Amino acid sequence: MLCVPKIRVAVRQSISRTYFSTLQQPAPQEESHFILILGKPGGGKGTISNKILADFPRLHHMSTGDILRANVRDETALGKEAKSYMDEGKLVPDRLMIDLVVEDAAPHIEDGDSLLLDGFPRTLGQAKALDEVVNVDLVINLDIPTETIVERIADRWIHPTSGRVYSYSYKPPKIRGLDDETGEPLIQRDDDKPEKVRTRLQAYDEVTAPLVNFYDKRNVLKTFHGTKSDVIYLEVKEWLEEKTH
């Protein structure tokens, strides 16, 4: 098992603001930040993350799903441990997910980069565990109305063979109900049906409400309301510029 030092200790002991190593390092020209982005599935989190990365090139994007898959694929020590849980149909423990995050973050932090973490934490317990090793200092919370997300996702139809995705509101097929290239019927996944989407979003709200409160009490969270990602992002960008410069 890889022994990962506590990042928070480094923050308290070092004059320069770093998150990982307890060794003395030269202070970066710009202050480093550990940023989280929270938001309901289907709420535009991916779109806004991509816009942030384009406008803030010193940010390194960390997706826990991508990190996990890469470690399993590369058969790292942590990846092998994670795979043992996955092969048994079990969830990867929070402790192991945090070790994966810290392992991936280390070289970027030591280079003075800021980090944008997407997909973790998802629960209050995970947030508290992460808080023991990482100084999260900025949290973006995207609050998109449930019915807006239901409309977006329920409008999504796919060609099952190729995976091509269509939306009648912004990317409709040339012929309604048929794939543009093959002419085969489009389908709507069960998970994309309105009742399933509402159930999933309700579960998200119940699990993440304590998480939002956790960061709000630390005065590091900003909630952005709206229905259009392009409009919301302008507010997100202004807030990040204020906090990171």
Side-chain angles (χ1 to χ4, degrees):
M1 177 60 194
L2 178 68
C3 179
V4 181
K6 287 190 176 183
I7 304 176
R8 183 174 294 281
V9 173
V11 176
R12 289 173 177 167
Q13 292 180 347
S14 176
I15 295 175
S16 66
R17 185 169 187 188
T18 59
Y19 291 89
F20 187 78
S21 178
T22 55
L23 299 175
Q24 289 293 327
Q25 300 176 39
Q29 291 182 348
E30 295 183 3
E31 189 176 31
S32 296
H33 297 276
F34 202 109
I35 306 170
L36 304 183
I37 182 165
L38 308 176
K40 299 172 185 175
K45 186 154 52 77
T47 298
I48 288 181
S49 291
N50 288 335
K51 290 178 179 292
I52 291 172
L53 295 172
D55 286 335
F56 298 85
R58 289 292 290 176
L59 270 176
H60 171 66
H61 182 237
M62 298 174 60
S63 165
T64 50
D66 292 344
I67 294 170
L68 177 60
R69 285 187 289 272
N71 276 268
V72 170
R73 181 189 65 238
D74 296 340
E75 299 185 337
T76 65
L78 292 175
K80 289 178 180 178
E81 186 178 354
K83 189 174 185 297
S84 69
Y85 289 98
M86 296 163 67
D87 288 346
E88 295 178 9
K90 297 179 180 178
L91 294 175
V92 177
D94 293 347
R95 167 196 56 79
L96 183 52
M97 287 304 304
I98 290 172
D99 285 352
L100 286 164
V101 168
V102 171
E103 174 97 341
D104 187 78
H108 302 285
I109 290 169
E110 292 182 350
D111 284 344
D113 292 338
S114 292
L115 302 174
L116 177 66
L117 180 59
D118 177 7
F120 192 91
R122 295 179 184 271
T123 66
L124 180 58
Q126 291 174 349
K128 289 181 176 179
L130 185 66
D131 190 57
E132 293 179 0
V133 294
V134 169
N135 181 35
V136 175
D137 61 339
L138 295 174
V139 181
I140 299 163
N141 181 43
L142 304 177
D143 184 19
I144 313 302
T146 293
E147 286 308 308
T148 298
I149 298 175
V150 170
E151 290 173 8
R152 287 179 187 172
I153 297 179
D155 193 43
R156 186 164 60 192
W157 292 74
I158 67 169
H159 178 239
T161 304
S162 67
R164 282 185 286 276
V165 179
Y166 297 87
S167 169
Y168 287 112
S169 60
Y170 66 90
K171 188 186 175 184
K174 295 175 183 176
I175 301 175
R176 187 175 183 84
L178 300 179
D179 177 54
D180 285 351
E181 295 190 20
T182 66
E184 295 172 346
L186 303 176
I187 66 168
Q188 185 178 51
R189 298 185 308 178
D190 284 343
D191 284 349
D192 290 345
K193 293 179 179 178
E195 62 274 13
K196 292 288 186 69
V197 176
R198 289 190 184 93
T199 299
R200 194 161 65 244
L201 294 177
Q202 182 179 354
Y204 175 88
D205 285 339
E206 291 172 355
V207 170
T208 58
L211 179 63
V212 170
N213 291 336
F214 177 79
Y215 288 117
D216 192 37
K217 288 179 180 178
R218 282 162 169 69
N219 296 317
V220 298
L221 179 139
K222 174 75 172 176
T223 297
F224 299 90
H225 308 275
T227 60
K228 297 182 181 299
S229 295
D230 288 346
V231 176
I232 294 172
Y233 177 64
L234 295 177
E235 297 179 16
V236 172
K237 181 181 179 183
E238 182 179 0
W239 184 69
L240 284 177
E241 286 175 340
E242 175 188 337
K243 294 294 184 180
T244 60
H245 289 88

